[in-house]
Amino acid sequence: MNEQELIQQLRQGNEPAFRWLVETYRNRVYNTVLNILQDDKEAEDTTQDTFIQVFESVNSFKEESALSTWIYRIAVRKALDKIRRRKTRQKLRQFLPWWMPGENTSTSEPFHHPGILIENKEKAAALFKAIQSLPEKQQLAFTLIKVQGMNYEDACLILQQNVKAVESLVSRAKVNLQKQLEGYYKTLK
Amino acid sequence: MKKIFTPLTDEYLKSLEGMQHAATDDYFYTRLKAKMERNLAQQGWGFKLKPVWVIGSLVCLLALNGFMLTQQYKIKQSTNNKTSPLQNFATAYDQTILSSY
């Protein structure tokens, strides 16, 4: 089935076509979202929301980009929404602790990516923690390119930025991470 | 482009080498379908349960309550100010003074 046929079938509400799409992209979307959110439950939830939105808004998909780029764009936007909501909740929690007593503070706990080699776990967790402190755009660009291993061309399409802008975001992220990690390195000594 | 020197970042980035991709389990589609059905079932009531609607309804109720209370207070005040003709007669002829006769 080519992409055009798949889009047609999705527009007709064809369930096997939707299932095929989910089975094909679920792990790629989940992996991207997990790297951004650094929380497996939120990543699963966001992956589900991404496919629900794909199903609901496939009729408004203008086909100006590849279907995969469109799906990734939705996933990244949803992950960003989650991060913003998380930050708002953290601020609220700071001022009104009784408001959300059972809220988990996932960002304060180190994130251990399930695919990292055991010997690298500690360093990777420190790196993920440092990434969280980056400004939004730098965080996304750095995660997609350096963590996810995406090429600049694809990342630019997803982030809807030109190559120079993305390159600049990645280098600024690297400088900021260097500062963060220097602080972490000093605490280890 | 200016060359930047970030040895620590590069060193920590090396810890991601050989990283396996994370994956969802085989029941992901089942859970997704269940969520979609749940969303569909909630669509009728879902928007009414959103905090903005709940808070909005509460504010409306409180405003209505306040309005009713002030109206009631005004009615009470105006009835207190009004005196009956019998009372007027009693005041005019000083009939309110108690007498032993």
Side-chain angles (χ1 to χ4, degrees):
Chain A
M1 187 178 354
N2 67 31
E3 197 170 293
Q4 198 62 43
E5 285 169 354
L6 176 67
I7 295 167
Q8 274 308 319
Q9 291 189 17
L10 287 171
R11 282 181 176 152
Q12 286 160 7
N14 183 322
E15 208 201 312
F18 180 61
R19 186 174 190 141
W20 187 86
L21 176 95
V22 173
E23 295 299 344
T24 309
Y25 288 102
R26 68 180 162 107
N27 286 338
R28 282 184 255 180
V29 171
Y30 175 74
N31 201 51
T32 306
V33 167
L34 179 70
N35 287 333
I36 298 170
L37 290 171
Q38 303 180 15
D39 182 300
D40 50 355
K41 279 184 191 140
E42 281 194 329
E44 157 109 18
D45 200 43
T46 308
T47 309
Q48 287 178 354
D49 290 346
T50 302
F51 286 113
I52 292 173
Q53 181 157 352
V54 167
F55 183 76
E56 285 172 351
S57 54
V58 70
N59 282 319
S60 60
F61 173 48
K62 290 173 189 155
E63 293 176 58
E64 286 165 352
S65 62
L67 182 68
S68 58
T69 308
W70 183 61
I71 295 171
Y72 273 123
R73 225 177 264 163
I74 294 174
V76 168
R77 208 180 309 133
K78 292 225 173 265
L80 208 58
D81 283 346
K82 272 256 158 64
I83 290 176
R84 286 177 187 156
R85 227 171 295 155
R86 191 195 282 168
K87 281 180 183 166
T88 313
R89 290 178 86 87
Q90 275 170 352
K91 275 182 197 158
L92 255 174
R93 210 179 123 82
Q94 244 177 351
F95 293 109
L96 309 163
W98 47 268
W99 186 262
M100 291 171 272
E103 191 88 350
N104 79 49
T105 49
S106 57
T107 47
S108 57
E109 291 162 15
F111 167 66
H112 294 291
H113 191 288
I116 301 275
L117 302 172
I118 296 170
E119 59 267 32
N120 292 333
K121 274 205 185 298
E122 205 183 326
K123 271 191 176 175
L127 179 66
F128 275 116
K129 197 179 167 112
I131 292 172
Q132 271 195 341
S133 63
L134 292 174
E136 262 174 24
K137 282 183 179 174
Q138 289 180 27
Q139 186 182 348
L140 283 183
F142 189 85
T143 305
L144 290 181
I145 289 160
K146 295 290 179 186
V147 179
Q148 181 89 4
M150 205 174 261
N151 61 45
Y152 273 91
E153 206 177 298
D154 291 341
C156 289
L157 289 170
I158 292 166
L159 298 172
Q160 292 175 291
Q161 304 249 12
N162 60 42
V163 180
K164 280 210 163 162
V166 175
E167 275 177 354
S168 159
L169 283 171
V170 173
S171 35
R172 272 186 284 152
K174 282 182 85 174
V175 173
N176 284 335
L177 285 174
Q178 177 73 21
K179 289 177 197 159
Q180 287 279 332
L181 292 168
E182 273 167 7
Y184 173 75
Y185 198 65
K186 275 174 196 161
T187 60
L188 287 181
K189 278 184 178 177
Chain B
M1 204 173 153
K2 207 173 87 181
K3 180 90 182 143
I4 47 163
F5 190 60
T6 52
L8 216 52
T9 310
D10 297 335
E11 188 196 321
Y12 275 73
L13 262 173
K14 276 186 190 150
S15 68
L16 303 183
E17 279 174 10
M19 181 172 84
Q20 299 283 311
H21 285 288
T24 57
D25 61 38
D26 293 339
Y27 300 104
F28 177 81
Y29 187 74
T30 315
R31 288 195 298 276
L32 173 66
K33 283 297 285 180
K35 190 173 186 177
M36 287 171 88
E37 277 159 23
R38 234 179 8 250
N39 284 357
L40 211 66
Q42 282 176 354
Q43 239 167 27
W45 284 94
F47 80 98
K48 291 178 187 92
L49 296 173
K50 279 187 176 172
V52 66
W53 281 95
V54 175
I55 293 168
S57 312
L58 273 174
V59 168
C60 279
L61 273 174
L62 280 173
L64 196 72
N65 227 352
F67 176 74
M68 299 285 270
L69 277 172
T70 46
Q71 287 299 310
Q72 252 179 356
Y73 180 73
K74 275 181 190 170
I75 292 167
K76 223 177 188 175
Q77 285 280 52
S78 62
T79 46
N80 280 350
N81 292 339
K82 276 183 198 162
T83 46
S84 67
L86 214 69
Q87 266 179 319
N88 285 344
F89 180 82
T91 342
Y93 289 94
D94 210 12
Q95 293 292 299
T96 49
I97 300 164
L98 290 171
S99 165
S100 54
Y101 299 106

